[in-house]
């Protein structure tokens, strides 16, 4: 898993502003028969693996940790606020 430098800077500021412990990557249900991944700021849960990625504390739900191996999180600042994109997820057949 990778977090780009731009995403790191945005996440670092968000974690501070929201007083959150980490970026949490979690199982968000199924789409097209494949697991969906969600991102949120918060605290790790009991079933999470803890990682440090490009200086960002990350908690990953153990059920989907295998899906994050090739994951890259990119971020950019927009007029509406920070936007994040997850690249490298498995293709879905929909």
């Amino acid at each position: 898993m990778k977090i780009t430098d731009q995403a790191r800077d945005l996440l670092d500021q968000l974690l501070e502003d929201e007083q959150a412990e980490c970026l949490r990557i979690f199982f968000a249900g199924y789409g097209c028969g494949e697991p969906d991944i969600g991102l949120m700021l918060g605290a790790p849960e009991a079933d999470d693996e803890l990682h440090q990625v490009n200086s960002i504390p990350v908690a990953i739900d153990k059920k989907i940790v295998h899906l994050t191996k090739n994951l890259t999180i990119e971020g950019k600042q927009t007029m509406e606020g920070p936007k994040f994109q997850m690249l490298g997820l498995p293709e879905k057949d929909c």
Side-chain angles (χ1 to χ4, degrees), residues 47-94:
D47 290 356
D48 292 345
E49 285 188 11
L50 302 177
H51 299 266
Q52 194 79 10
V53 182
N54 200 4
S55 302
I56 298 296
V58 180
I60 305 172
D61 185 333
K62 287 182 182 177
K63 292 183 291 251
I64 59 159
V65 73
H66 65 284
L67 297 175
T68 64
K69 182 178 179 181
N70 297 318
L71 179 67
T72 298
I73 298 174
E74 291 186 343
K76 65 180 178 179
Q77 185 65 41
T78 69
M79 295 294 283
E80 295 86 27
K83 300 288 183 196
F84 297 94
Q85 184 176 13
M86 293 185 287
L87 305 174
L89 294 173
E91 295 287 326
K92 293 185 178 187
D93 294 327
C94 292

Side-chain angles (χ1 to χ4, degrees), residues 3 7-26 38-45 48 56-59 73 82 84:
I3 296 175
R8 176 204 57 215
D9 295 344
L10 292 168
L11 286 166
D12 192 44
Q13 186 63 51
L14 284 172
L15 287 167
E16 183 178 325
D17 291 349
E18 299 294 323
Q19 298 179 356
E21 291 181 41
C22 65
L23 172 67
R24 184 162 186 273
I25 301 174
F26 61 94
L39 297 176
M40 66 179 280
L41 300 178
E45 294 192 2
D48 292 345
I56 298 296
V58 180
I73 298 174
F84 297 94

